[in-house]
């Protein structure tokens, strides 16, 4: 469905469960394969096809732009067709190859991308303006790096899970300080509220711990408190949370992964609402992970189980999903982290495909974030006995 007219998805919901929708965009893929086959035979190519969501003739809202796999991508614009050719030909391993991207941060100007890699034991910093890169952890491996965030000075905060804390580095990779607390068990996602100078650290914890919460620090490392009630499924309680983002007004959105929902708190830590529940329909989740806000206040949530990203408006209504399970460039396999830059570029850690996928929000304004139900969709839903097509918002 398009963000301009949400009825496209609402019509489909009563007739097609989300697990049947993994092949969204496959008609584009087939066409693109045909195009590339012609390209391989030196046949003229009239126009490059890009993978977009939703499918034509609907207005495209999300477009696949490129993949980031290593520092080799600094020297070329790895566009959709180039990525597909690499995929078809078989990729050659490159220096500083991304293996398991667990955290992503992007500079305010969109030129520098910071990617933590659990297997490589470091944070790759790619400067696309200067065509340079460095690896934090080159001299001394980081101890299972997970989430990553940057402050206003572009100091890099990375959760080292085995050390049970967050290491802070300057832009050159020099260690500045280490932030931790005795209550931290398994740090995962991190986020920074630059305006309020707060660091949020998601503690995924384990089965022996009841402290499934988000720890809150100032940027110097002083612990300020916690978000959440601890392990459980009540409002405000969490079960193995993973990722976090800071949105408008300092509101914090947490992926409450094994409760199959998102939870929102205000800047003071007060529980506001939850979005989603366990299920395979639109607006429902299997295992939500990476979360983010675009500049219009829309909410993006990775579903690792379904290998896609769902988009909700600020009221929690489902608007669109993109992605789907596959190795093809633009599709995903067990994605995790997500971040969105100020230009509404969407970065997704595509873990089992060993890459970061980059998408662009296109053809969209603030007015497009209002879900408009189609009367025909209501009639069809009533006829089929389908539930009302909206996310579960508390």
């Amino acid at each position: 469905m398009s963000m301009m007219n949400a009825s496209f998805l609402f019509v489909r919901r009563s007739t097609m469960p989300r697990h049947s929708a993994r092949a969204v965009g496959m008609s584009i893929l087939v066409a693109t394969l045909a195009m590339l086959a012609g390209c391989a035979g030196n046949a003229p190519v009239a126009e490059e096809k890009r993978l977009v969501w939703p499918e034509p003739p609907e207005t495209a809202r999300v477009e696949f732009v490129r993949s980031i796999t290593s520092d080799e991508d600094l020297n070329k614009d790895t566009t959709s067709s180039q990525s597909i050719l690499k995929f078809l030909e078989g990729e050659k391993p490159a220096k500083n190859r991304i293996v398991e991207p667990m955290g992503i941060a992007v500079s305010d100007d969109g030129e520098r991308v910071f990617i933590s890699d659990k297997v490589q034991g470091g944070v790759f910093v790619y400067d696309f303006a200067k065509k340079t890169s460095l690896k934090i952890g080159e001299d001394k491996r980081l101890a299972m790096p997970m989430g990553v965030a940057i402050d206003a000075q572009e100091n890099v905060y990375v959760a080292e899970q085995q050390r049970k804390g967050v290491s802070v580095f300057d832009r050159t990779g020099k260690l500045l300080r280490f932030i931790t607390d005795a209550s931290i068990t398994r740090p995962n996602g991190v986020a920074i509220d630059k305006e309020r100078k707060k660091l949020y650290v998601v503690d995924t914890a384990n089965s022996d711990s009841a402290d499934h919460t988000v720890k809150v620090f100032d940027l110097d490392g002083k612990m300020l408190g916690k978000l959440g009630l601890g392990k459980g499924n009540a409002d405000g309680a969490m079960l193995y949370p993973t990722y976090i983002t800071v949105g408008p007004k300092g509101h914090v959105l947490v992926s409450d992964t094994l409760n199959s929902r998102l939870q929102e708190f205000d800047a003071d830590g007060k529980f506001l609402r939850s979005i989603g529940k366990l299920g395979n329909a639109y607006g429902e989740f299997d295992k939500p992970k990476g979360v983010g806000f675009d500049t219009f206040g829309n909410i993006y949530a990775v579903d690792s189980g379904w290998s896609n990203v769902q988009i909700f408006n600020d009221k929690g209504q489902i608007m669109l999903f993109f992605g789907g399970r596959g190795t093809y460039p633009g599709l995903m396999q067990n994605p995790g982290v997500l971040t969105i830059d100020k230009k509404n570029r969407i970065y997704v850690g595509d873990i089992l495909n060993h890459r970061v996928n980059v998408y662009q929000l296109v053809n969209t304004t603030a007015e497009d974030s209002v879900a408009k139900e189609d009367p025909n969709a209501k009639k069809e839903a009533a006829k089929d006995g389908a539930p009302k097509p909206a996310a579960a918002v508390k």
Side-chain angles (χ1 to χ4, degrees):
M1 75 168 205
S2 76
M3 283 186 165
M4 181 67 76
N5 185 356
S7 63
F8 175 81
L9 181 55
F10 290 167
V11 170
R12 297 297 190 269
R13 178 174 176 184
S14 62
T15 58
M16 181 179 66
R18 186 149 58 103
H19 60 74
S20 300
R22 290 176 177 169
V24 166
M26 288 308 295
S27 60
I28 299 174
L29 295 178
V30 171
T32 308
L33 281 169
M35 175 195 75
L36 292 172
C39 185
N42 296 320
V45 178
E47 182 180 358
E48 181 187 74
K49 302 287 186 180
R50 287 185 182 267
L51 187 59
V52 298
W53 293 266
E55 293 181 272
E58 294 294 316
T59 300
R61 301 297 178 178
V62 175
E63 178 182 48
F64 172 65
V65 176
R66 64 180 297 153
S67 295
I68 302 173
T69 59
S70 74
D71 52 2
E72 285 191 351
D73 294 320
L74 291 166
N75 299 311
K76 55 183 178 295
D77 180 14
T78 312
T79 61
S80 176
S81 61
Q82 290 170 335
S83 294
I84 293 169
L85 284 171
K86 283 182 69 177
F87 170 69
L88 294 176
E89 294 170 355
E91 295 184 31
K92 296 179 180 179
K95 182 183 177 182
N96 285 346
R97 180 66 161 85
I98 293 171
V99 180
E100 287 193 23
M102 305 305 293
I104 305 172
V106 184
S107 61
D108 286 346
D109 61 6
E111 298 293 352
R112 290 166 297 288
V113 181
F114 304 75
I115 302 170
S116 61
D117 192 312
K118 181 173 70 172
V119 172
Q120 295 281 33
V123 176
F124 298 122
V125 183
Y126 300 129
D127 189 323
F128 285 89
K130 296 180 179 178
K131 309 297 183 184
T132 60
S133 68
L134 66 87
K135 180 183 177 183
I136 298 173
E138 184 73 58
D139 298 328
K140 181 181 179 182
R141 284 179 60 91
L142 304 186
M144 197 176 289
M146 301 296 288
V148 63
I150 55 175
D151 64 19
Q153 290 72 45
E154 285 192 24
N155 294 317
V156 183
Y157 297 67
V158 54
E160 290 194 71
Q161 198 163 90
Q162 290 180 341
R163 294 186 67 192
K164 300 185 179 182
V166 176
S167 293
V168 185
F169 301 87
D170 69 13
R171 295 178 64 169
T172 69
K174 177 184 177 182
L175 179 65
L176 300 178
R177 56 189 173 275
F178 182 70
I179 298 173
T180 189
D181 183 80
S183 65
I184 295 179
T185 302
R186 189 153 58 116
N188 201 331
V190 296
I192 290 177
D193 183 336
K194 294 178 182 178
E195 180 180 343
R196 295 165 184 81
K197 295 181 171 57
K198 290 181 180 179
L199 168 67
Y200 293 94
V201 182
V202 177
D203 192 346
T204 303
N206 55 41
S207 59
D208 296 326
S209 171
D211 198 11
H212 295 220
T213 59
V214 176
K215 276 67 176 181
V216 187
F217 299 85
D218 67 20
L219 299 187
D220 292 323
K222 178 183 177 182
M223 189 167 181
L224 303 176
K226 299 179 183 180
L227 294 183
L229 303 176
K231 188 176 182 180
N233 58 15
D235 287 346
M238 304 179 195
L239 190 62
Y240 299 96
T242 51
Y243 287 98
I244 188 168
T245 190
V246 178
K249 301 178 182 178
H251 287 194
V252 176
L253 196 66
V254 183
S255 53
D256 185 7
T257 300
L258 291 195
N259 279 326
S260 301
R261 64 187 180 185
L262 312 178
Q263 296 207 62
E264 185 174 357
F265 300 83
D266 69 14
D268 296 321
K270 178 184 176 182
F271 170 80
L272 298 176
R273 62 175 173 169
S274 67
I275 300 174
K277 63 181 181 179
L278 179 64
N280 66 2
Y282 299 104
E284 298 175 347
F285 296 109
D286 181 11
K287 295 180 179 64
K289 291 194 175 179
V291 286
F293 289 93
D294 66 20
T295 59
F296 305 116
N298 297 312
I299 295 166
Y300 294 63
V302 166
D303 193 324
S304 183
W306 293 115
S307 290
N308 62 24
V309 177
Q310 296 197 71
I311 307 176
F312 302 82
N313 64 15
D314 61 2
K315 293 180 174 60
Q317 297 170 305
I318 182 67
M319 302 298 293
L320 175 69
F321 83 91
F322 65 92
R325 183 171 294 278
T327 57
Y328 206 88
L331 300 182
M332 315 171 190
Q333 291 199 100
N334 291 46
V337 66
L338 173 147
T339 195
I340 304 173
D341 69 16
K342 293 187 175 182
K343 299 176 182 178
N344 287 328
R345 281 206 165 187
I346 307 147
Y347 300 74
V348 179
D350 187 2
I351 294 176
L352 293 188
N353 285 327
H354 316 298
R355 64 194 180 196
V356 170
N357 295 335
V358 186
Y359 308 85
Q360 179 71 57
L361 184 66
V362 295
N363 305 319
T364 300
T365 66
E367 289 73 23
D368 299 326
S369 299
V370 179
K372 300 178 179 64
E373 294 191 24
D374 188 328
N376 294 326
K378 287 185 176 181
K379 292 178 182 178
E380 185 175 339
K383 180 179 66 177
D384 294 344
K388 184 178 179 181
V393 182
K394 296 181 180 178

